[in-house]
Amino acid sequence: MSHLFRQSTKSLPLQLILIVPFVLQIAVAVSLVGYLSLKNSQQAVNELANRLFYKTATIVNQHLDSYLSVPHKIIQMNADAIQMGVLDVTQKDKIGHYFWKQMQAYDLSYIGYGLTTGEGAGAARYDGKTTVIDEWTAQLPNNTRTYATDALGNRTQLLALSDYDLLNQSWYVDPLKAGKPIWSQIYIWDNPISPFITLSAGRPIYDSNQTLLGMTGADIHLLKLSDFLAHSNPSQSGVILVVERNGLLIAISDGTKPYKQVDGLTKRIAAREVANPLVQTLSQKIESYYPNGFNSIQETTRLEFIIQKKKYLVYLTPWTEKNGLDWVVVISIPEQEFMGKINANNRITALLCLGAVIVAIALGIFTSQWIAHPLRKLNRASQAMASGNLEQSVETSPIFEVQALSRSFNTMAEQLQNYFLALQQTNLDLEHRVEERTLDLKNTLEELQRTQEKIVQSEKMSSLGQLVAGVAHEINNPVNFIHGNITHLDTYTQDLIKILQLYQNLYSPPAPEIAELSEDIELDFIVEDLPKMLSSIQIGTERIRKIVLSLRNFARMDESPVKNVNLHEGLNNTVMLLVHRLKSNDELSPPINLIKDYGELPKVECYAGQINQVFMNVISNAIDAIEERYDSQRENGLIPHGGTIKIKTYLTEEEMINISIIDNGKGVDKALINQVFNPFFTTKPVGKGTGLGLSISYSIVQKHGGTILVDSELNQGTQITILIPQKIKSPVKT
């Protein structure tokens, strides 16, 4: 006994053995999925940030290339025109009008030329909108005249006289010294309307004999770059800067002005002097990170800084131009803009993982109890029998193996009772009792062996049933053969009838032997009935083909996991499989009228077999509800009315597929509607439903990114609406 006691202390409950491995597997799988999801999210953020930075930098660089190439193209074109004699620099009125037309075609602030004599002319857009024409002489004062122009570029009136010393202007002197096209230093012109931050392109001009005439120039307004950066900024919280190597700000995307007023004069500022605290801190960190500040940035670099307790991703890329410009483009975006949705998804994933573990535990407990409960009863009965109480009997279980064990136990218990009575009655000879008991045990063993044979035979029958189900598909081949030949047979028959009728018309009256035989075989009836018979055969074979096709379509639509299908075909196939339930075969089954109100639907990307399963569950429930109402009316002495099922489909304004299945069945109490999708909940009588049909259908529709809506009223009917998208969306994972 002590040995048996030590063994029992080391044993574990069956329920614990069933639950723990199941829950551990789910927990490990869920944890692994969550970890991989987090890693993939981080990798996706890095890839997305790099793509966004690269795209934005490319857009900015391309715009700089395009915008800053225009002045040099203009001055080269003008220098070539002057050298070829197309433009005469002595005719200031014509060349001024030519520059006016160029200003209409290009977004520049000034186009002009100056001669070595100190004279010159140009067209300007001083207020940013209106184009005027300037021309000047070499003699001060009041040597410059500014003219207003009309819509054709003609001078209308003199606007102003001013002093202008061309020979001391840097935009004139610098290109002549360089002897080639160059950019001037960025300078500020305090226009009364608004300051101009200007960059000037200059180029020497020569006549056809290579004699220096002077220079031609074109100015560009750099403040417009800030407007472009504001439209190109992909982030509401981020910023884009364009700075010189010395740190002076050229353009900024946040609307901040890249200059300040000091004693009434406009002065440029460095990026670290901008009023925006983010830009200030960002510039300081970049200059602190590189030994020589922005001069050290020679290649595209990605950095990360903590600014105002937020992590910012910074993208630095140099931009150079062949005529001497060397700037740096700075793009900064807070990491939170990338991680916001991903963090929310991670939280949802964590909650779903926790929910999955809880559901797994609940299912494990339920399953273990379902398995262990009949075994505990059997164990208690066995212990009672071991204690001497032979009058034991256990209930059968829905589990096949436990059911067989229970039956064997009951048989054994009954036999043991008989053996015990026999032993009490037969107390004459010990050997006789031992022999009789041995014989009884032998019979019990044989009974167990026979039970085992029955189990094996049952499994064989199950396999045979599957084989027969497979062979049923082969019916399609001979039916197709018959159906395909009926058309030819019908044609041949019609041809023979025509020949027969032609013979009758040409050889009338017929010979007595033919007339007698025609009367004996009722030839007129055969001619009339044979086409009808062929038509009936053709209708029958067509019916068989439709049934076989419906079975095949319904069962094999998932040969590829996801495919574009016509939902109307799935509905028609489902109705074809249920048509035997729609027809009234006797007074116990109601006649059901099916109404199809199909709209124009596009093909839908879905798991077609699963969607067909949803249609099967919903339409079957509708038929069950109509039958319940029919039976209830008949039992209450009322005249039962036939049922109606309406299937309505259409495409909603939100591009969702709407399938509504409406019946006039028994309906569901409104207090219970919220429970119809719960697993194992059913309003049907015991034994008629598992309570899983709508729950499974709800899961399938959710898997497609859709939903199911139920509207029902007791004794009035039910409407179930299925809404699914045209393409599978990423639903909430469950």
Side-chain angles (χ1 to χ4, degrees):
M1 288 296 292
S2 61
H3 175 68
L4 293 175
F5 178 75
R6 285 196 301 270
Q7 286 184 340
S8 64
T9 57
K10 296 180 182 178
S11 61
L12 295 174
L14 176 62
Q15 189 171 357
L16 185 63
I17 294 174
L18 292 174
I19 293 175
V20 172
F22 181 71
V23 173
L24 285 178
Q25 292 176 14
I26 296 297
V28 170
V30 168
S31 301
L32 182 60
V33 169
Y35 174 79
L36 294 177
S37 175
L38 179 60
K39 287 296 182 182
N40 290 336
S41 298
Q42 293 174 346
Q43 182 179 359
V45 167
N46 289 329
E47 294 177 355
L48 177 61
N50 288 335
R51 288 198 297 268
L52 181 60
F53 278 134
Y54 178 78
K55 179 180 179 181
T56 305
T58 301
I59 292 173
V60 173
N61 290 344
Q62 289 176 348
H63 182 74
L64 291 176
D65 293 338
S66 174
Y67 189 61
L68 294 173
S69 67
V70 173
H72 278 282
K73 291 179 180 178
I74 293 296
I75 63 176
Q76 180 180 355
M77 181 171 59
N78 292 341
D80 294 340
I82 292 172
Q83 186 174 12
M84 291 186 297
V86 176
L87 292 178
D88 187 354
V89 295
T90 62
Q91 297 180 355
K92 286 189 260 184
D93 56 341
K94 292 184 178 180
I95 202 169
H97 186 265
Y98 176 77
F99 289 158
W100 183 92
K101 287 187 174 296
Q102 286 185 328
M103 290 289 290
Q104 309 311 307
Y106 299 99
D107 186 15
L108 300 175
S109 59
Y110 186 83
I111 303 175
Y113 76 100
L115 303 178
T116 56
T117 60
E119 300 176 282
R125 195 178 285 117
Y126 295 124
D127 61 355
K129 299 178 181 178
T130 307
T131 305
V132 299
I133 295 177
D134 292 337
E135 65 177 42
W136 60 87
T137 64
Q139 301 297 324
L140 295 171
N142 295 328
N143 64 328
T144 302
R145 296 172 176 268
T146 301
Y147 295 93
T149 60
D150 58 16
L152 299 177
N154 300 315
R155 305 178 188 189
T156 57
Q157 62 177 340
L158 179 65
L159 294 178
L161 293 173
S162 60
D163 297 337
Y164 189 68
D165 187 3
L166 172 68
L167 301 180
N168 291 323
Q169 301 296 323
S170 62
W171 73 274
Y172 170 83
V173 175
D174 293 343
L176 295 182
K177 288 182 180 179
K180 62 180 182 179
I182 64 170
W183 287 103
S184 70
Q185 296 293 325
I186 297 176
Y187 65 91
I188 296 177
W189 178 56
D190 281 307
N191 185 32
I193 299 176
S194 65
F196 272 60
I197 297 180
T198 307
L199 187 62
S200 178
R203 184 186 188 96
I205 54 177
Y206 303 90
D207 62 11
S208 59
N209 298 321
Q210 294 298 316
T211 302
L212 179 67
L213 299 178
M215 61 81 62
T216 181
D219 294 354
I220 194 166
H221 196 358
L222 294 181
L223 287 180
K224 294 185 177 181
L225 289 177
S226 296
D227 297 334
F228 172 77
L229 295 183
H231 288 91
S232 302
N233 190 4
S235 167
Q236 296 180 352
S237 303
V239 67
I240 304 177
L241 309 175
V242 179
V243 297
E244 291 187 279
R245 291 291 183 172
N246 58 9
L248 289 178
L249 185 63
I250 297 172
I252 186 169
S253 65
D254 65 349
T256 305
K257 297 178 180 179
Y259 60 84
K260 63 181 179 180
Q261 298 290 332
V262 179
D263 297 331
L265 297 177
T266 303
K267 292 187 177 182
R268 295 179 62 202
I269 59 175
R272 61 178 177 275
E273 298 175 333
V274 177
N276 189 337
L278 170 62
V279 179
Q280 288 183 8
T281 307
L282 177 62
S283 302
Q284 293 170 0
K285 286 185 176 292
I286 293 174
E287 293 178 347
S288 300
Y289 185 85
Y290 290 101
N292 296 324
F294 289 97
N295 284 316
S296 301
I297 303 173
Q298 301 301 324
E299 61 182 6
T300 300
T301 308
R302 175 180 161 181
L303 303 175
E304 296 180 358
F305 295 132
I306 302 299
I307 303 176
Q308 299 174 353
K309 298 181 180 181
K310 293 182 180 180
K311 186 175 182 181
Y312 282 79
L313 306 179
V314 183
Y315 198 74
L316 306 174
T317 179
W319 179 83
T320 57
E321 192 263 355
K322 65 180 180 179
N323 293 309
L325 295 182
D326 187 8
W327 297 345
V328 177
V329 179
V330 181
I331 305 172
S332 176
I333 300 176
E335 187 185 51
Q336 183 61 31
E337 290 195 7
F338 297 99
M339 292 297 296
K341 292 184 178 180
I342 292 178
N343 289 334
N345 289 336
N346 288 337
R347 288 192 294 270
I348 293 173
T349 301
L351 292 176
L352 291 176
C353 291
L354 179 60
V357 172
I358 293 174
V359 171
I361 294 174
L363 289 176
I365 293 174
F366 173 78
T367 304
S368 62
Q369 288 181 347
W370 187 50
I371 296 174
H373 181 67
L375 294 178
R376 283 197 296 267
K377 287 184 177 181
L378 188 60
N379 184 38
R380 286 195 296 267
S382 300
Q383 291 177 353
M385 289 184 64
S387 300
N389 185 6
L390 300 180
E391 296 182 359
Q392 299 296 325
S393 177
V394 293
E395 298 177 357
T396 58
S397 169
I399 303 174
F400 180 79
E401 290 78 3
V402 178
Q403 185 181 71
L405 183 60
S406 299
R407 290 175 178 173
S408 300
F409 177 82
N410 291 335
T411 302
M412 184 180 67
E414 182 179 356
Q415 291 176 350
L416 287 176
Q417 293 178 27
N418 296 331
Y419 299 154
F420 184 73
L421 293 176
L423 288 174
Q424 287 179 339
Q425 294 175 2
T426 309
N427 198 17
L428 300 176
D429 185 47
L430 180 59
E431 291 184 1
H432 178 68
R433 290 200 304 269
V434 172
E435 183 180 353
E436 183 179 358
R437 186 170 182 180
T438 303
L439 180 60
D440 291 339
L441 291 175
K442 182 179 179 181
N443 293 334
T444 302
L445 179 59
E446 292 175 353
E447 180 66 23
L448 289 174
Q449 291 175 345
R450 287 193 295 271
T451 302
Q452 184 178 9
E453 292 176 356
K454 290 180 180 179
I455 294 173
V456 173
Q457 183 64 22
S458 177
E459 291 295 331
K460 290 181 179 179
M461 292 302 294
S462 176
S463 300
L464 182 59
Q466 295 178 2
L467 177 61
V468 171
V471 172
H473 288 282
E474 296 300 326
I475 296 175
N476 192 42
N477 293 330
V479 169
N480 282 339
F481 174 77
I482 297 172
H483 183 77
N485 286 319
I486 285 176
T487 302
H488 302 295
L489 181 59
D490 182 61
T491 302
Y492 300 157
T493 303
Q494 294 294 337
D495 292 341
L496 290 175
I497 291 174
K498 290 178 181 178
I499 292 175
L500 179 60
Q501 291 174 346
L502 184 60
Y503 268 104
Q504 288 177 338
N505 293 333
L506 296 177
Y507 298 100
S508 179
E513 294 84 355
I514 296 176
E516 183 180 358
L517 180 59
S518 299
E519 184 177 356
D520 291 339
I521 64 174
E522 298 181 355
L523 180 60
D524 294 337
F525 176 76
I526 291 175
V527 171
E528 179 182 356
D529 190 57
L530 184 56
K532 296 179 180 179
M533 184 182 302
L534 291 175
S535 176
S536 299
I537 294 173
Q538 186 173 18
I539 293 172
T541 56
E542 181 66 26
R543 174 65 176 167
I544 296 173
R545 289 179 70 250
K546 287 183 179 180
I547 293 173
V548 172
L549 180 61
S550 297
L551 286 170
R552 184 179 61 193
N553 290 340
F554 188 86
R556 297 184 180 176
M557 284 291 280
D558 277 347
E559 290 176 352
S560 60
V562 178
K563 61 194 300 185
N564 292 324
V565 298
N566 185 342
L567 290 184
H568 290 159
E569 292 182 359
L571 286 168
N572 292 335
N573 291 333
T574 304
V575 171
M576 178 68 70
L577 296 178
L578 295 173
V579 70
H580 65 284
R581 298 191 62 190
L582 299 175
K583 296 180 179 180
S584 177
N585 298 322
D586 51 44
E587 63 177 6
L588 299 179
S589 59
I592 299 176
N593 180 30
L594 180 67
I595 301 174
K596 296 180 181 179
D597 184 7
Y598 289 170
E600 293 292 333
L601 295 183
K603 287 193 175 183
V604 179
E605 179 188 73
C606 65
Y607 295 90
Q610 296 182 12
I611 291 297
N612 286 344
Q613 182 181 354
V614 174
F615 295 157
M616 176 66 76
N617 289 339
V618 175
I619 297 176
S620 296
N621 284 344
I623 295 173
D624 292 341
I626 292 174
E627 290 178 348
E628 289 182 24
R629 179 187 61 81
Y630 190 87
D631 293 340
S632 176
Q633 291 176 341
R634 206 162 39 80
E635 291 173 359
N636 294 329
L638 302 175
I639 298 175
H641 300 288
T644 299
I645 297 177
K646 181 178 181 181
I647 304 176
K648 182 177 181 181
T649 65
Y650 62 91
L651 186 65
T652 68
E653 295 180 356
E654 294 78 14
E655 301 295 323
M656 296 286 285
I657 305 299
N658 183 301
I659 304 104
S660 297
I661 299 175
I662 309 162
D663 67 73
N664 62 345
K666 188 175 182 180
V668 180
D669 192 342
K670 288 189 176 296
L672 301 177
I673 288 181
N674 293 332
Q675 305 180 45
V676 296
F677 295 119
N678 294 340
F680 306 111
F681 174 81
T682 180
T683 59
K684 299 177 183 178
V686 176
K688 283 195 173 183
T690 62
L692 291 175
L694 284 181
S695 176
I696 294 173
S697 299
Y698 187 80
S699 300
I700 292 173
V701 174
Q702 272 201 327
K703 176 180 178 181
H704 287 74
T707 186
I708 297 183
L709 306 176
V710 177
D711 184 15
S712 182
E713 187 173 346
L714 197 62
N715 295 322
Q716 296 297 323
T718 302
Q719 175 174 338
I720 293 183
T721 302
I722 303 169
L723 291 169
I724 58 175
Q726 296 183 37
K727 290 190 175 181
I728 295 180
K729 296 182 179 179
S730 294
V732 179
K733 296 181 180 178
T734 56

